[in-house]
Amino acid sequence: AKAAGRNAIHFFDPSIHAAIEARFRLEAEFRAALDNNELVLFYQAQVNRRGEPCGAEALIRWQHPARGLLGPAAFINMAEETGLIAPMGDTVLRTACHQLSLWGEQAEADTLSLAVNISARQFHQPDFVNRILTIVDETGANPRLLKLELTESLILTDLDDSVTKMRALRAAGIRFAMDDFGTGYSSLAYLSRLPFDEVKIDQAFIRQAQLDTEGADRSIVEAIIGLTHSLGMRVVAEGVETPVQREFLLSRRCDVFQGYLFSHPEPVTAFEQTLEALRKA
Ligand code: C2E
Ligand code: CA
Ligand code: CA
Ligand code: CA
C-alpha cells in the first residue's frame, strides 16, 4: 500500500499537473485568439546590395489579452501538435496578401516582395494550392510579389508532393525561398532539382559566425553562396546584426540582407516608417 501510495503521489506530481493544465489553457486560448483576431503580423525589411529595401518577411505575433505580445516560440509547437497551425497559416496568408494588395496601391511600396513562412502541415494539406490561389485572388495581391518560405524538413516530408505543389504555384507567379539553409540535411543534389528562387542562409552561420577572421564559418558561408549562385538562385543572409557581417557578405556577393542591423520585425505602421528611413539612408 505504501508503494502504491508513492506511485500515486508521483503520478499526481503537482508540477506535471500544472504543466498539463497550462498546455490545455494555451490551446483553448489560441483557439479563441484565432476567432478574436489576436494574431498579428510584424514585418522585417530585407535590403538589396545598395541597402535599399526590396522586400519584407512577415512574422507572426500573438497579442495575448493578459500576457501581452507573444512571439512564435510561445505557441508554434502547440499549434503544430494540435493542427491549429493550418487555420493559423490561412490567417497569416490572408493578412499578408491583404497587406500586399494595400502596398500595391502605394507608389513607394508597390514593388516590395513579401515572404511568408509556411509550416509542413499547412503545405501538405491536399488543397494547399487552391487555398493559396483563392486567397491571392480574393485579396487582389500580386502573386509575383508573394514568396513562400519552406524549410528543408518540410520539403523532405514528401519530396514529390512538394515539387508538384511548387510547380503549380509557380505557374501562377508565386516564388519560393528555402529557409534556414545549412541546418538540416542540406543536400546539394535535391536543391538543384527544386524550383526555388532563393536560399536563405540560416542565421546561425551569420550571427555567431566569426566572419571577421579566416575560418570554418567563412568557408561555409562562401560555399553556400557559391553553390546557390551556380544554381541560378539568389542568396539571402538573415540575422545580419553588425557592419562587419554585412561587409563580409557584400564582398562574397550575397544578394539580399535581413537582420537587426537594418530593421527589427515591427507592426505595419512602424515598418512603413522604417522603409522611408532606409530609402533616405
Ligand atoms: P525564421 O523564419 O527563421 O525567422 C527569422 C527569425 O529571426 C525571426 O524570429 C526574426 O525575428 C529573427 N531575427 C531576424 N533578424 C534577426 C537578427 O538580426 N538577430 C536575431 N537574433 N534574430 C533575428 P521570430 O519572429 O521569433 O520567429 C521565429 C520562427 O517562428 C521563424 O523563424 C519561423 O520559423 C516561425 N514563424 C514566424 N512567423 C511564422 C508564421 O507566420 N508561420 C509559421 N508557420 N511560422 C512562423
Ligand atoms: Ca523564415
Ligand atoms: Ca530563417
Ligand atoms: Ca527558423
Side-chain angles (χ1 to χ4, degrees):
K2 206 172 177 191
R6 256 195 216 135
N7 283 339
I9 287 163
H10 184 72
F11 184 75
F12 291 109
D13 183 326
S15 68
I16 292 176
H17 188 66
I20 291 169
E21 232 174 42
R23 168 58 196 262
F24 274 110
R25 199 182 319 119
L26 184 70
E27 182 182 334
E29 289 175 349
F30 192 73
R31 281 181 197 279
L34 282 164
D35 290 336
N36 302 338
N37 301 318
E38 291 167 17
L39 301 180
V40 291
L41 289 184
F42 276 30
Y43 299 88
Q44 184 178 32
Q46 298 178 327
V47 305
N48 64 20
R49 293 180 55 81
R50 285 170 297 184
E52 301 155 347
C54 57
E57 178 174 2
L59 294 157
I60 195 169
R61 301 290 182 265
W62 177 4
Q63 191 61 64
H64 189 286
R67 294 164 65 199
L69 192 68
L70 302 179
F75 58 89
I76 281 275
N77 287 345
M78 175 276 298
E80 288 270 4
E81 287 161 18
T82 54
L84 291 171
I85 196 93
M88 182 199 99
D90 275 354
T91 300
V92 166
L93 269 162
R94 197 166 283 282
T95 307
C97 286
H98 178 64
Q99 190 57 59
L100 257 185
S101 92
L102 292 178
W103 284 336
E105 289 158 14
Q106 303 171 15
E108 321 83 57
D110 66 354
T111 57
L112 280 188
S113 66
L114 184 56
V116 177
N117 292 285
I118 303 295
S119 74
R121 254 173 107 146
Q122 184 188 3
F123 185 78
H124 292 298
Q125 289 172 301
D127 60 346
F128 179 74
V129 170
N130 276 330
R131 289 177 104 94
I132 299 264
L133 296 179
T134 303
I135 290 171
V136 167
D137 193 54
E138 286 175 359
T139 55
N142 178 352
R144 296 188 182 281
L145 297 177
L146 178 63
K147 200 178 292 162
L148 305 184
E149 297 200 354
L150 312 180
T151 60
E152 302 176 76
S153 63
L154 173 153
I155 298 287
L156 293 174
T157 311
D158 188 337
L159 197 58
D160 292 338
D161 184 53
S162 301
V163 174
T164 306
K165 285 177 171 154
M166 288 176 77
R167 292 224 174 100
L169 290 164
R170 282 176 74 89
I174 293 167
R175 286 181 277 189
F176 289 91
M178 165 77 86
D179 203 358
D180 301 344
F181 191 75
T183 52
Y185 304 94
S186 299
S187 155
L188 320 182
Y190 77 78
L191 184 60
S192 68
R193 289 191 283 114
L194 292 170
F196 278 100
D197 302 278
E198 66 186 36
V199 163
K200 298 185 83 171
I201 307 178
D202 192 74
Q203 42 179 294
F205 297 107
I206 312 292
R207 265 200 298 138
Q208 294 131 32
Q210 302 294 305
L211 295 177
D212 49 345
T213 51
E214 294 288 339
D217 292 329
R218 276 187 162 211
S219 309
I220 290 169
V221 172
E222 282 169 2
I224 294 176
I225 295 175
L227 162 79
T228 304
H229 282 164
S230 74
L231 295 175
M233 302 174 189
R234 296 200 305 175
V235 180
V236 183
E238 56 177 15
V240 182
E241 291 183 346
T242 69
V244 169
Q245 292 164 347
R246 176 173 177 273
E247 286 314 310
F248 172 76
L249 291 160
L250 267 175
S251 75
R252 296 309 188 271
R253 314 228 53 82
C254 179
D255 304 288
V256 178
F257 305 76
Q258 182 183 342
Y260 295 167
L261 181 62
F262 310 97
S263 127
H264 283 256
E266 302 171 303
V268 68
T269 320
F271 170 76
E272 288 174 348
Q273 285 161 4
T274 295
L275 282 185
E276 252 181 75
L278 285 168
R279 284 210 180 84
K280 286 179 187 145

